[in-house]
Amino acid sequence: MDIGIDGRMDKGATVNVGAVQNDTLRSARFRLEREAHWRQLDELVTRAEKGGAAALGYDEVRNLANGYRQAMNSLSVARDISLDRALIAYLESLCARAYLVVYAPQESLGGLMSRLLLHGIPQAVRRSALPLFIGFLALILGALAGYRLCTNDPSWFYTLVPPEMADQRTPDASTDYLRSTIYGDEGHDSDRLAAFSAFLFSHNTTIVILIFTLGVFVSVPSFILTFYNGLILGAFFAMFYRRGLGYDVFAWLSIHGVTELAAIAIACAGGARLGLAVLLPGTRTRKEALRHQAHDAVKLAILAALMLIVAAFIEGFLRQLIQDPLWRIAIGWGMGLFWVGWLLLGGRQSKASREAMR
């Protein structure tokens, strides 16, 4: 405080001290009149945060809504009359927590997963016709190119297929050996086939991640990696076909490959959505277009991961247990029909729902 030359307190300092004391009294009175309601709201919000709104009874939910409105009014008044900052900060925090409890969607993890599987993923797939076309086109073109190259010149197999993936299944191997890798009729090869199955799953998972994440670079890396996977597929098929094992290897690939290869193409589609957002942003900025396309792109990546898990189970167990080629084809393409049916029909609104929205 300021003291004059004559030793008396300055008049301006007296006014300031009085104003501070008045504000403090006013804040204390404001808090005293409303604090009971705030404490009740705080207790209800804390319980709802721990156990969800379902943990509250009907009267408690009604008190929660009323308490939230009262707290918002208190916050508005506190700001208008410039009460102390600590009180305003407390009310802001309480109102924000109450808002999340009252208005934010209350959904369990199971509910979120159910909505994602039944609606989110199928709808994202149906909105991705062009990216899916790009993904499957890259895979099919690669398979045709690999088949053609290795049919005309088997030495291309060594260029296209990594040695660790070939695992002695090369054009130089005998027909009996190649047949044994399809039907697993040589007991001493069981461990090697299991290791090969694990390698394929790890390899394809890595490829899917790369295909998806590199798609942001105008989709070109995604297309090339998917095309390369098609080259490997075509090279393998050509090698077996030249030995008269075309039908057998087709059945062997079908049981797990329909799901596995589709997952790779779908991952490419997810990457293509990101790339197209960068290449063709439309009226949006590239940043906004990328953010917009990422919602569906991530759902496609989740679908690809789910399909790889299913393919790993089929490849690791069913393919080893089921030796009949007809059953292998039926299971593989039956799974393909399941994926197509789910993705085409899932998440569609009924006719009554569409009419109600009009």
Side-chain angles (χ1 to χ4, degrees), residues 53-72:
L56 304 179
Y58 174 78
D59 291 336
E60 291 173 326
V61 171
R62 185 178 59 183
N63 292 336
L64 174 65
N66 291 333
Y68 168 66
R69 287 193 293 269
Q70 291 176 5
M72 287 296 297

Side-chain angles (χ1 to χ4, degrees), residues 80-118:
D80 287 342
I81 62 178
S82 302
L83 296 182
D84 66 88
R85 293 181 180 179
L87 177 60
I88 293 176
Y90 167 76
L91 288 174
E92 287 176 343
S93 175
L94 178 61
C95 289
R97 291 169 58 212
Y99 173 84
L100 292 176
V101 171
V102 173
Y103 291 106
Q106 301 293 321
E107 192 168 10
S108 64
L109 179 59
L112 289 172
M113 291 300 298
S114 176
R115 184 157 55 87
L116 176 66
L117 295 176
L118 297 179

Side-chain angles (χ1 to χ4, degrees), residues 99-337:
Y99 173 84
L100 292 176
V101 171
V102 173
Y103 291 106
Q106 301 293 321
E107 192 168 10
S108 64
L109 179 59
L112 289 172
M113 291 300 298
S114 176
R115 184 157 55 87
L116 176 66
L117 295 176
L118 297 179
H119 299 277
I121 289 177
Q123 290 171 355
V125 169
R126 293 196 294 271
R127 290 191 293 262
S128 304
L130 178 59
L132 285 170
F133 174 78
I134 293 173
F136 281 95
L137 179 66
L139 188 66
I140 293 171
L141 289 179
L144 291 175
Y147 174 80
R148 187 66 181 270
L149 287 171
C150 292
T151 298
N152 294 334
D153 183 1
S155 64
W156 271 103
F157 182 90
Y158 300 98
T159 302
L160 300 176
V161 182
E164 63 272 15
M165 181 175 287
D167 192 36
Q168 301 183 25
R169 291 177 294 184
T170 66
D172 294 329
S174 66
T175 301
D176 290 338
Y177 177 77
L178 293 178
R179 182 182 292 107
S180 73
T181 62
I182 294 176
Y183 294 107
D185 54 6
E186 292 187 8
H188 63 274
D189 280 341
S190 59
D191 292 339
R192 184 166 55 192
L193 287 174
F196 178 65
S197 176
F199 168 78
L200 275 180
F201 175 67
S202 175
H203 168 79
N204 287 329
T205 302
T206 303
I207 289 297
V208 161
I209 293 172
L210 286 174
I211 286 173
F212 176 74
T213 53
L214 294 178
V216 71
F217 297 104
V218 203
S219 304
V220 174
S222 295
F223 188 92
I224 292 174
L225 282 173
T226 307
F227 182 85
Y228 176 64
N229 273 266
L231 285 175
I232 296 174
L233 173 66
F236 262 111
F237 186 83
M239 177 183 63
F240 282 91
Y241 182 79
R242 285 172 58 88
R243 300 298 184 87
L245 299 172
Y247 172 73
D248 304 272
V249 76
F250 174 77
W252 182 81
L253 288 170
S254 292
I255 191 170
H256 70 279
V258 171
T259 297
E260 190 174 86
L261 295 172
I264 293 175
I266 289 172
C268 179
R273 290 209 68 145
L274 299 178
L276 290 173
V278 176
L279 184 63
L280 303 170
T283 57
R284 297 183 174 93
T285 65
R286 283 186 168 80
K287 183 178 180 180
E288 291 173 346
L290 192 60
R291 186 185 302 112
H292 175 73
Q293 295 291 346
H295 294 289
D296 283 349
V298 169
K299 291 172 185 173
L300 293 179
I302 293 173
L303 172 61
L306 177 62
M307 294 177 75
L308 280 183
I309 293 173
V310 174
F313 172 79
I314 295 174
E315 188 174 15
F317 294 94
L318 296 184
R319 193 185 69 182
Q320 309 299 330
L321 297 174
I322 298 173
Q323 301 294 310
D324 187 286
L326 281 175
W327 275 107
R328 286 179 168 179
I329 292 174
I331 292 173
W333 290 98
M335 284 300 304
L337 289 176

